[in-house]
Amino acid sequence: MNFRLKKKLYTLTFTQLAIFIISFIYYRNFSLISYINISFLISATLLLTALLLYTIHTGFYDAISRSFNLVFSRGKEKRNFEDIPRLSEMITIDEKPLLFHGLMNGLFMLIALMVYYF
């Protein structure tokens, strides 16, 4: 089996295990509703983090972060706007694994939701 596929399956298994453990801790038992609630929160967190990283990588926040850096460093040293590093260059986390695991957990949540309603 491919190493990347194994890594994705292990991470997906870990997130599913975390959903079960959090369900037992928070609800004191395991039910389909508790699985749906917890998996929604985890998948929404993963998807929103992936979308935030995507917007950072596109350079959307570069001018804002550079402006804040320039304003708050004023008086300490003379800096040019071009010398300040861009936020998209500093954040190097890949958003694709977060997007994949958020979509997969969301898919499992939707399957559980269909089982619950039908």
Side-chain angles (χ1 to χ4, degrees):
M1 207 183 231
N2 191 354
F3 175 72
R4 289 183 183 168
L5 182 61
K6 278 185 182 180
K7 189 175 175 182
K8 285 182 180 181
L9 287 175
Y10 286 144
T11 307
L12 193 59
T13 304
F14 174 74
T15 55
Q16 291 298 308
L17 211 70
I19 290 170
F20 286 116
I21 291 170
I22 292 170
S23 176
F24 278 121
I25 291 171
Y26 189 72
Y27 290 104
R28 306 274 193 256
N29 65 357
F30 181 76
S31 67
L32 198 55
I33 292 293
S34 65
Y35 174 80
I36 291 168
N37 290 338
I38 301 297
S39 63
F40 173 76
L41 292 175
I42 288 178
S43 63
T45 302
L46 289 170
L47 288 173
L48 288 174
T49 305
L51 289 173
L52 176 67
L53 287 172
Y54 177 74
T55 57
I56 288 173
H57 289 159
T58 58
F60 185 76
Y61 299 111
D62 284 348
I64 296 169
S65 67
R66 290 169 84 185
S67 298
F68 274 121
N69 195 332
L70 184 67
V71 167
F72 287 122
S73 68
R74 210 165 271 230
K76 296 178 185 172
E77 58 186 70
K78 298 290 182 184
R79 295 176 83 175
N80 277 342
F81 191 73
E82 291 80 25
D83 295 339
I84 300 171
R86 298 174 184 265
L87 185 64
S88 60
E89 294 170 352
M90 293 189 302
I91 306 293
T92 59
I93 300 170
D94 189 21
E95 75 272 358
K96 290 178 187 116
L98 293 173
L99 182 66
F100 172 76
H101 293 297
L103 288 174
M104 289 306 291
N105 284 319
L107 179 68
F108 290 153
M109 179 206 56
L110 287 175
I111 291 170
L113 200 58
M114 282 193 234
V115 167
Y116 179 74
Y117 279 114
F118 298 115

